[in-house]
Amino acid sequence: MDSLRIANCSGFYGDRRSAPRELLEGGPIDVLTGDYLAELTMLILWRSRGRDPAKGYATSFLGQMEECLGLAVDKGVKVVANAGGLNPAGLAAELRALAERLGLDVGVAHVEGDDLLGRLDDLRAAGEPLAHLDTGVPLAAAGVAPVTANAYLGAWGIVAALESGADVVVCGRVTDASLVVGPAAWHFGWAADDWDRLAGAVVAGHVLECGTQATGGNYAFLDELPRPARPPGFPIAEVAADGGAVVTKHPGTGGLVSVGTVTAQLLYEIAGPAYENPDVVARFDTVRVTDAGPDRVRLSGTRGEPAPDRLKVAINYPGGFRNTMSFVLTGLDLEAKAAMAETALFERLGGRDRFQSAESRLVGRPAADPASAEEAVAELRVTVKDPDPAKVGRAFSNAAIELALATYPGCYTTTPPGDATPYGVYWPALVPADLVEQVVVLPDGRRLPVKPPVPGTVEPHPPAPGPPVGEPSPSPDREPAAVHSPPSHRPTVRAPLGRVFGARSGDKGGNANVGLWARNEAAYRFLDGFLTVERFRELIPEARGLVVHRYELPNLLALNFVVVGLLGEGVSSSTRIDPQAKGLGEWLRARVVELPVELLEPQGG
């Protein structure tokens, strides 16, 4: 075949259940992949395994395979998914039993070795500090008891499983992109040092990993999407032998595949141009994204560099318990009403200092002349955390309800009194790759060790050409040269930033990223000069006082910002109304700024 058609049927645990069948019935594919894991998912699966030791995997995947495993076998489609979570062996066993019940001849293999929980003491004794990637604090100094610790494995375990004849490969914590890299490397016979080919597949995998986000889901420019709106089809990458790919979807499905939708996904949850995967460093500043026809976008030119010698490890530990109550504030004197409610609540509770943490946030603001009750309200969200569930349970929520007739006018809550809920804390760290023992367990029970890629050297790759925007960044926080700023004589108008620029944002542990892209070179030149780190902090006040990294990707006509610590100790622990920073980009697009008039004219593709 000229290309390998790899489809994605899941971007998260809980995605559209019918997606595997839609992809298998909708047209030709060669490999069906699914991404079910995120940092938060590992905590969810830990709690699942606590209730039933046989669980710890994405149970929805088992249900999906019950509906369409036979169809995959009939069509000769390989299935590769990271739905194994904390228990890939358990899910593989269930799939083998399912195949037997269905009368199917299916070889199921699984990949192990990512789970380092039982090895943490040995790793620390060997001198590995498992220091937090953002703070540098060694794990031992934190005085915590981790409940999950999983290294991000690469693609070569998947390759070994497919080479052995497996039809289904169950993985635990492999990187999302490895679900695409593995089948491509197996099919085309790539070597471990085929850096450019591997890097191209990483880029294709990154586009596919979040499912319909590549086909119009969560897309900034709503006017570009077809009408009437229908749920978007799931993405397919036609990967070529050189690592390039065409991103598409089945004909007749909803959504859109365009340079814009693919660019948006490329910017999702990344940092700088050097995108590290366990098997290769993909240079995102070399990727070219071009239109290849209706609902077809070509990815080409990606250059790769040798694999890093250390692997990321996602560690989670219990942080304690939390509870939130929301007070509705209506009409006038918003700040005074909020202060009255806070003061009364914490007086009843014995003070803020009784809790490990206590945070209050005002959400929304009433309109100046509200024409409806909905336009007249804001919310005061009060969240408390503590190791003692009794402190933050009914004692807290009942105290809030007891204020209903004793505080500011118009007082009511949106939440009934409830018990405390546990939350977890995310701790990212690194370990040497050669200390992680990846193993493939074949359908017949044989165990094959998988060696990590051998480090190599390559010449530095120049970035792909983009519009003339000045010298390359010497550091991620570099402010662009003044020459990039728009001349003062250019006519401008105050308008939302998002009238010209698209954005996509998300979470990486306690950090948030937001990528912005332009639809033509003139708009990018303005963006590069206008949106400095300082101005970003002005537009996003939550970022003031935090480290903000700015990265340039002129080949994508894009900038990427990483806000360190915006989400605190990770999604499960965050008290923001948007704990995964999914709306951060749309907030930035809504900010009104001075934009050159010519940029507000219809944009070119």
Side-chain angles (χ1 to χ4, degrees):
M1 292 181 293
D2 294 330
S3 63
L4 185 70
R5 293 161 296 193
I6 305 176
N8 168 283
C9 71
S10 175
F12 66 99
Y13 187 14
D15 209 346
R16 198 154 83 214
R17 184 183 175 97
S18 61
R21 180 169 289 278
E22 292 173 22
L23 284 162
L24 288 166
E25 293 180 340
I29 61 173
D30 303 306
V31 183
L32 179 69
T33 70
D35 177 21
Y36 292 79
L37 301 184
E39 286 89 355
L40 179 61
T41 315
M42 305 307 276
L43 275 171
I44 294 171
L45 296 178
W46 168 68
R47 294 188 183 113
S48 167
R49 193 169 61 176
R51 293 187 294 269
D52 182 351
K55 293 296 191 293
Y57 54 79
T59 55
S60 59
F61 176 75
L62 188 61
Q64 290 170 316
M65 290 299 98
E66 186 167 12
E67 294 175 1
C68 60
L69 182 58
L71 186 57
V73 171
D74 290 343
K75 291 178 173 287
V77 173
K78 301 287 188 180
V79 179
V80 182
N82 62 11
L86 297 176
N87 188 10
L91 178 56
E94 290 288 348
L95 287 167
R96 293 182 189 111
L98 170 65
E100 186 174 353
R101 289 198 305 273
L102 296 176
L104 300 173
D105 182 13
V106 178
V108 180
H110 68 274
V111 180
E112 296 180 348
D114 61 297
D115 191 346
L116 302 183
L117 185 63
R119 298 181 57 201
L120 291 182
D121 289 342
D122 292 340
L123 289 169
R124 285 181 290 200
E128 294 302 322
L130 299 168
H132 194 288
L133 283 179
D134 297 320
T135 67
V137 175
L139 182 62
V144 298
V147 294
T148 71
N150 296 82
Y152 285 74
L153 303 180
W156 295 106
I158 297 170
V159 173
L162 293 171
E163 285 178 343
S164 74
D167 304 297
V168 179
V169 184
V170 175
C171 303
R173 181 66 281 186
V174 298
T175 68
D176 306 338
S178 295
L179 301 173
V180 170
V181 179
W186 159 71
H187 178 76
F188 294 112
W190 295 339
D193 60 354
D194 281 334
W195 308 123
D196 291 347
R197 296 181 179 92
L198 293 168
V202 165
V203 169
H206 182 71
V207 172
L208 260 61
E209 70 184 53
C210 289
T212 53
Q213 278 196 168
T215 57
N218 300 349
Y219 185 56
F221 295 114
L222 299 179
D223 59 309
E224 294 181 10
L225 298 175
R227 294 286 184 267
R230 290 187 295 145
F234 278 74
I236 300 167
E238 299 171 354
V239 182
D242 66 356
V246 171
V247 179
T248 186
K249 62 186 183 70
H250 281 324
T253 58
L256 170 73
V257 179
S258 69
V259 168
T261 66
V262 171
T263 298
Q265 179 55 28
L266 280 172
L267 295 173
Y268 185 64
E269 293 183 347
I270 65 170
Y275 187 78
E276 292 190 355
N277 207 61
D279 304 313
V280 67
V281 176
R283 297 294 313 195
F284 273 43
D285 53 357
T286 64
V287 183
R288 304 302 295 178
V289 184
T290 53
D291 192 330
D295 288 320
R296 294 179 65 81
V297 170
R298 187 176 306 281
L299 302 169
S300 62
T302 305
R303 304 302 299 269
E305 296 173 352
D309 61 0
R310 299 178 74 82
L311 299 182
K312 183 179 177 181
V313 181
I315 299 170
N316 288 287
Y317 64 87
F321 297 84
R322 62 187 291 172
N323 206 345
T324 299
M325 291 295 290
S326 294
F327 295 88
V328 178
L329 312 169
T330 307
L332 305 176
D333 305 319
L334 186 73
E335 287 79 8
K337 289 172 180 175
M340 183 181 292
E342 281 189 75
T343 300
L345 176 60
F346 285 107
E347 280 183 354
R348 289 193 59 78
L349 293 168
R352 287 178 175 268
D353 293 343
R354 289 193 66 245
F355 304 97
Q356 186 180 65
S357 73
E359 296 186 19
S360 303
R361 293 178 182 269
L362 274 173
V363 180
R365 183 165 291 274
D369 180 19
S372 66
E374 289 77 13
E375 292 182 3
V377 300
E379 283 189 29
L380 172 67
R381 289 167 49 90
V382 183
T383 300
V384 290
K385 295 179 180 178
D386 201 86
D388 183 356
K391 282 186 184 179
V392 296
R394 285 301 184 108
F396 165 72
S397 56
N398 285 347
I401 293 297
E402 289 168 4
L403 297 177
L405 304 180
T407 182
Y408 63 89
C411 176
Y412 63 97
T413 67
T414 62
T415 46
D419 292 325
T421 57
Y423 71 92
V425 176
Y426 173 67
W427 185 284
L430 296 174
V431 296
D434 57 8
L435 294 184
V436 177
E437 301 167 355
Q438 186 177 180
V439 174
V440 177
V441 182
L442 301 180
D444 60 7
R446 286 182 296 143
R447 301 176 64 85
L448 299 181
V450 178
K451 295 181 180 180
V454 177
T457 58
V458 294
E459 291 297 318
H461 297 310
V469 295
E471 296 300 316
S473 302
S475 73
D477 295 309
R478 180 188 72 89
E479 298 288 5
V483 69
H484 296 161
S485 299
S488 58
H489 63 268
R490 294 171 71 183
T492 63
V493 64
R494 288 184 62 76
L497 194 66
R499 291 290 175 245
V500 177
F501 303 103
R504 177 158 288 166
S505 57
D507 64 285
K508 271 299 179 186
N511 302 338
N513 107 284
V514 53
L516 294 98
W517 78 94
R519 291 186 282 189
N520 59 46
E521 293 187 0
Y524 176 70
R525 282 192 290 268
F526 168 81
L527 181 69
D528 179 67
F530 173 79
L531 197 54
T532 63
V533 169
E534 179 181 356
R535 185 166 280 119
F536 181 92
R537 289 195 179 106
E538 291 174 359
L539 297 175
I540 305 293
E542 282 188 84
R544 296 172 187 170
L546 299 176
V547 173
V548 177
H549 298 299
R550 178 187 191 269
Y551 301 97
E552 298 170 12
L553 293 162
N555 56 309
L556 301 178
L557 302 181
L559 299 178
N560 188 48
F561 293 85
V562 176
V563 187
V564 179
L566 183 69
L567 307 181
E569 297 172 308
V571 171
S572 179
S573 177
S574 178
T575 59
R576 296 179 77 251
I577 191 172
D578 177 19
Q580 292 181 283
K582 299 293 188 183
L584 181 62
E586 289 303 295
W587 175 18
L588 184 58
R589 293 182 72 237
R591 296 307 308 266
V592 176
V593 301
E594 292 286 341
L595 291 174
V597 171
E598 68 265 27
L599 296 186
L600 290 166
E601 297 172 356
Q603 299 288 295

